[in-house]
Amino acid sequence: MHVIEFTNITKTYDMGVAQQVQALQGITLAIDKNEYVAIMGPSGSGKSTLMNIIGCLDTPTSGQYLFNGVNVSEMDDNNLARIRNKEIGFVFQTFNLLARSDALHNVELPLIYAGISATERRDRARKTLEHVQLGDRAHHKPNELSGGQRQRVAVARALVTQPSIILADEPTGNLDSRTGEEIMGLFEELHSQGNTIILVTHEADIAEHAHRIIRLRDGKVETDVRVPPEKRKTYAMKKAS
Amino acid sequence: MHFWTEVKEGLLISFRAIRTNKIRSVLTTLGIVIGIVSVTLMATAIEGVNRAFDKSAAAFGTDVMYVEKWPWVSNEDWTTFRNRREFKMEYASQLDRQATLLSAVAPVMNTRRILKYNNNQMEMALISGTTSEFISASGNTQLDGRFFSDEESDGGRPVCVIGAVVAENLFPSEDPIGKTIRVAGFPYTVLGVFEKQGGLFGEFTSDTRVFIPIHSFISNFGGRRYIYIQARSKSLPLLEEAKIEVEGIMRKIRQVQPGVPSDFSINQQELLTQTFGPISLVISGIGLFITGLSLFVGGIGIMNIMFVSVTERTKEIGIRKAIGAIRWTNLLLLLLEAAALCLIGGTIGLGIAFPLSLIVDRILPTAMPLSVVFIAIAISLVVGVVSGFLPAYRAAKMDPVEALRYE
Ligand SMILES: Nc1ncnc2c1ncn2[C@@H]1O[C@H](COP(=O)(O)OP(=O)(O)O)[C@@H](O)[C@H]1O
Ligand SMILES: [Mg+2]
């Protein structure tokens, strides 16, 4: 069973009177457990739209989407929210942290909506923060952290519920290249620990870390290639060279 | 368990939002404070007016009938009453002898004269000539000292019983009992002082009156004047029967032919209550409406601010939804902020209104009714929930993607 199975997914935005944007025009693909997929493509090709549908933040106009074998194209908002909460970890380009809450509370947040008890919440959030090397920044607010640190808080938040997949839409887009690589190293590590990761990027350099590269163009899959292990870059290798 | 976790998160966020947006919260709260203060004060004042009214009405005596030429309240042409024959003093003793359902009957005559005691004086005080039965034929009259006796009454002795306000004016620093005052120059010795009645009907209470034996009244001030008879029923349940009996006896005394309408009126306190009750109701209604309006305006203010705060926090709502907050959780979150602001406002409002109501208390016999406190709290909660609900609903319905894109 695939983690994600898209059959002929389309997404059309209505732009007022008789104006439509076909952001996705029939996408069919399958992603398995513990894959590390990079989605590439020019701006406006539908990458974010695809990610939002995968992440259950948005629903397709037509087509079938099976998530862990369950048809989510027909789910109502509450069930979608539950899936987002338990099964999906989303990392955004703009971090999307709660500005008024400290790092710990931000990481705790999904657990609150999952109904986990306060002590367990604290415990898990703290451990996850330590996992992303931010154990000593638990009580810093986002504006007291660097861009890289903020993104690591966001990764910790995505990670804390132990979701089936981690989605990242241009997670390094707002970071300088050195910090970006740090974050990529983190994703790599998560992948090696058994997580399924899908990330959007338009930097070839970053995509080279992935095991599979899906290229979109005008809302369609242009190419879908697996990267042989000898061609993969790893964060550790780069660091050594 | 799950529920309370989210409530706690909502509370935390609400109070954090209230703290971080101090000015906004203060202004919102102010709207509710003003609303609550005016509503509670108005309700207290209305309560006070009603109580004053009841108290004054009780001063007339619930079981006392006032038999006289004129009705107190009537829609009929006044000429029909003007042509009625005048009352005579003997009616009182005749009525007293023949009636079986009356406990006391007293004739009353009034005039206005100047009062003096040493250097103190009171212009145009109401002087009432009556008999010793007056005290038993009146409403709730508490007396310090005593009323004049049958002998003093029949003998027309120069004695008097004065009202509380008269006592205050003539005897600011003395005990009036045993002292001799001058009524238009005639000496009268004070036997008793009525307890203060207060209320709305001023002169009809005992407060500003001086009671003297009717024979003395007639010899000093003349007897050709309006006279009415106070008759008290043996008990309140017997009042209606007593009234029928009085009517029958009075018709006989005044020789009214069968079939002809009675040429006198039997007035009762109830008549006043019936007439003024609706008026006080209208006043209460208008007052509550106006203050309700101010509360409503406060609510609109909160609603407006909640709209702004939702716009500010749309992104936050987007984040929370992306992370798995279910629709009603968001709703709850925002409701809490509005409800908390309103509740704080309501409590402060009560805190301000209470001492103010004590000031009202000095003018009107009232205390802030407990029900008003609960109503005020309930109103502020409802305003909070209602004004928080619409904007929260709008925000919660928003697509997470859309909310996230919001900067
Ligand atoms: N909410 C929206 N309303 C209308 N058009 C949209 C909306 N979101 C995306 N689009 C359009 O859909 C297409 C794909 O957008 P997107 O998925 O954001 O592309 P990418 O992330 O690859 O840059 C673009 O043409 C974009 O203008
Ligand atoms: Mg995009």
Side-chain angles (χ1 to χ4, degrees):
Chain A
M1 189 180 65
H2 307 293
V3 179
I4 285 159
E5 198 175 344
F6 267 37
T7 316
N8 224 355
I9 292 284
T10 71
K11 180 72 184 182
T12 308
Y13 291 107
D14 282 319
M15 303 290 291
V17 193
Q19 268 253 328
Q20 288 189 331
V21 180
Q22 295 208 302
L24 297 180
Q25 311 189 32
I27 304 265
T28 301
L29 57 83
I31 293 170
D32 289 321
K33 196 166 158 38
N34 200 23
E35 274 201 88
Y36 187 177
V37 184
I39 294 175
M40 297 191 70
S43 173
S45 57
K47 303 182 298 289
S48 293
T49 308
L50 181 67
M51 288 296 266
N52 289 342
I53 292 176
I54 293 176
C56 295
L57 283 171
D58 212 347
T59 46
T61 308
S62 73
Q64 181 181 266
Y65 173 16
L66 298 182
F67 184 90
N68 281 332
V70 181
N71 190 352
V72 293
S73 5
E74 282 160 12
M75 274 189 184
D76 64 16
D77 283 359
N78 286 359
N79 282 317
L80 286 176
R82 254 173 230 125
I83 296 227
R84 285 200 296 272
N85 182 239
K86 293 202 165 62
E87 304 293 343
I88 291 161
F90 222 116
V91 179
F92 303 88
Q93 179 176 351
T94 52
F95 321 131
N96 284 341
L97 299 173
L98 297 186
R100 288 195 283 254
S101 304
D102 63 17
L104 190 66
H105 189 78
N106 267 292
V107 177
E108 250 186 274
L109 205 59
L111 299 178
I112 290 174
Y113 293 117
I116 309 283
S117 76
T119 37
E120 190 187 338
R121 234 157 54 203
R122 277 288 137 80
D123 211 46
R124 274 169 69 176
R126 209 175 272 284
K127 280 214 180 77
T128 315
L129 268 181
E130 274 159 19
H131 194 147
V132 298
Q133 270 103 51
L134 282 178
D136 54 341
R137 296 285 192 278
H139 295 296
H140 289 231
K141 300 247 171 80
N143 62 4
E144 296 159 353
L145 296 169
S146 72
Q149 287 171 328
R150 282 183 221 181
Q151 197 57 301
R152 275 190 279 157
V153 173
V155 171
R157 182 181 65 187
L159 214 55
V160 76
T161 53
Q162 295 169 327
S164 302
I165 49 168
I166 292 169
L167 303 175
D169 191 352
E170 303 200 37
T172 60
N174 273 18
L175 303 174
D176 61 63
S177 58
R178 214 185 65 82
T179 334
E181 274 171 15
E182 229 175 88
I183 294 296
M184 291 319 294
L186 184 56
F187 278 117
E188 210 155 90
E189 190 194 327
L190 296 178
H191 173 252
S192 68
Q193 287 160 358
N195 287 291
T196 311
I197 293 169
I198 304 171
L199 70 86
V200 168
T201 179
H202 51 243
E203 291 173 55
D205 204 33
I206 284 177
E208 282 169 349
H209 292 265
H211 297 190
R212 179 180 171 190
I213 300 177
I214 298 173
R215 282 178 195 281
L216 293 188
R217 184 172 292 274
D218 299 331
K220 289 185 197 127
V221 176
E222 192 183 41
T223 60
D224 183 351
V225 294
R226 277 163 213 282
V227 184
E230 65 275 11
K231 283 202 177 170
R232 287 175 202 155
K233 259 194 205 171
T234 67
Y235 179 62
M237 262 171 56
K238 260 214 104 173
K239 211 161 146 189
S241 65
Chain B
M1 177 66 217
H2 194 162
F3 177 78
W4 287 115
T5 316
E6 288 180 13
V7 169
K8 243 164 72 186
E9 167 74 5
L11 272 177
L12 204 83
I13 295 300
S14 290
F15 280 105
R16 195 179 294 149
I18 289 167
R19 260 210 329 260
T20 19
N21 305 301
K22 281 194 194 71
I23 293 180
R24 192 182 79 187
S25 306
V26 165
L27 286 178
T28 313
T29 312
L30 200 66
I32 285 295
V33 167
I34 291 169
I36 289 293
V37 167
S38 51
V39 165
T40 44
L41 277 187
M42 184 58 87
T44 308
I46 287 168
E47 169 88 5
V49 169
N50 284 339
R51 278 204 211 172
F53 181 81
D54 286 348
K55 205 173 164 190
S56 314
F60 282 82
T62 38
D63 51 0
V64 178
M65 288 165 279
Y66 295 77
V67 190
E68 53 192 308
K69 175 178 166 184
W70 290 97
W72 286 348
V73 193
S74 174
N75 301 321
E76 283 171 57
D77 184 6
W78 68 279
T79 49
T80 54
F81 309 116
R82 193 188 52 187
N83 296 331
R84 287 173 168 179
R85 284 166 292 155
E86 295 298 334
F87 264 49
K88 296 195 182 98
M89 202 178 117
E90 304 89 77
Y91 292 173
S93 44
Q94 284 171 297
L95 188 59
D96 197 17
R97 260 199 312 280
Q98 295 179 39
T100 57
L101 298 173
L102 299 179
S103 64
V105 179
V108 183
M109 261 181 200
N110 293 316
T111 184
R112 284 180 189 286
R113 289 290 190 273
I114 185 168
L115 302 180
K116 272 188 183 156
Y117 177 75
N118 290 347
N119 293 327
N120 301 320
Q121 67 175 49
M122 197 174 162
E123 305 277 352
M124 305 294 278
L126 192 66
I127 317 299
S128 300
T130 185
T131 63
S132 53
E133 289 221 17
F134 178 85
I135 190 74
S136 335
S138 300
N140 59 340
T141 41
Q142 293 293 315
L143 190 62
D144 187 14
R146 62 175 183 88
F147 206 74
F148 37 86
S149 65
D150 293 348
E151 293 75 33
E152 285 160 340
S153 176
D154 295 343
R157 304 296 305 151
V159 290
C160 68
V161 174
I162 61 178
V165 174
V166 174
E168 281 165 23
N169 282 327
L170 295 186
F171 303 93
S173 56
E174 277 177 80
D175 181 8
I177 292 169
K179 308 282 169 8
T180 298
I181 62 169
R182 292 194 175 266
V183 181
F186 299 101
Y188 285 92
T189 303
V190 179
L191 298 176
V193 179
F194 279 110
E195 199 168 79
K196 189 159 189 159
Q197 290 185 306
L200 303 174
F201 302 125
E203 298 223 301
F204 290 93
T205 64
S206 61
D207 289 354
T208 55
R209 292 169 74 176
V210 173
F211 298 88
I212 58 174
I214 196 161
H215 294 297
S216 167
F217 182 100
I218 291 168
S219 57
N220 288 341
F221 311 117
R224 293 181 58 84
R225 33 179 98 245
Y226 191 79
I227 186 168
Y228 61 91
I229 295 161
Q230 266 182 238
R232 189 175 186 181
S233 155
K234 276 196 169 132
S235 72
L236 201 54
L238 281 176
L239 183 62
E240 276 313 301
E241 278 175 67
K243 194 175 173 183
I244 294 165
E245 187 184 40
V246 168
E247 174 141 34
I249 296 169
M250 285 305 295
R251 284 178 71 96
K252 217 161 63 195
I253 294 172
R254 283 166 69 89
Q255 292 163 334
V256 180
Q257 297 304 310
V260 178
S262 300
D263 65 344
F264 53 90
S265 297
I266 302 174
N267 296 314
Q268 274 171 275
Q269 177 250 119
E270 197 186 324
L271 222 56
L272 281 176
T273 332
Q274 274 167 7
T275 316
F276 293 111
I279 295 174
S280 88
L281 215 70
V282 168
I283 294 172
S284 317
I286 292 170
L288 279 182
F289 176 76
I290 291 170
T291 47
L293 214 63
S294 79
L295 198 65
F296 181 70
V297 170
I300 298 269
I302 291 215
M303 199 149 154
N304 194 28
I305 281 161
M306 289 317 292
F307 264 111
V308 174
S309 103
V310 166
T311 320
E312 268 175 13
R313 284 163 65 193
T314 303
K315 178 138 189 166
E316 178 173 336
I317 287 168
I319 294 170
R320 286 172 185 274
K321 287 190 100 170
I323 273 164
I326 290 167
R327 190 172 280 196
W328 65 267
T329 320
N330 286 310
L331 267 171
L332 192 72
L333 192 100
L334 285 153
L335 283 183
L336 281 172
E337 184 175 350
L341 278 182
C342 289
L343 205 57
I344 292 170
T347 315
I348 296 175
L350 276 179
I352 294 173
F354 185 67
L356 286 179
S357 81
L358 293 182
I359 297 172
V360 175
D361 203 19
R362 287 169 175 267
I363 304 159
L364 292 165
T366 184
M368 187 188 281
L370 199 65
S371 60
V372 168
V373 175
F374 286 114
I375 289 170
I377 297 271
I379 287 176
S380 46
L381 262 182
V382 167
V383 168
V385 169
V386 168
S387 63
F389 184 79
L390 273 176
Y393 185 70
R394 194 182 70 160
K397 250 181 40 188
M398 201 179 267
D399 234 12
V401 188
E402 205 177 309
L404 273 179
R405 203 180 291 129
Y406 189 92
E407 288 297 337

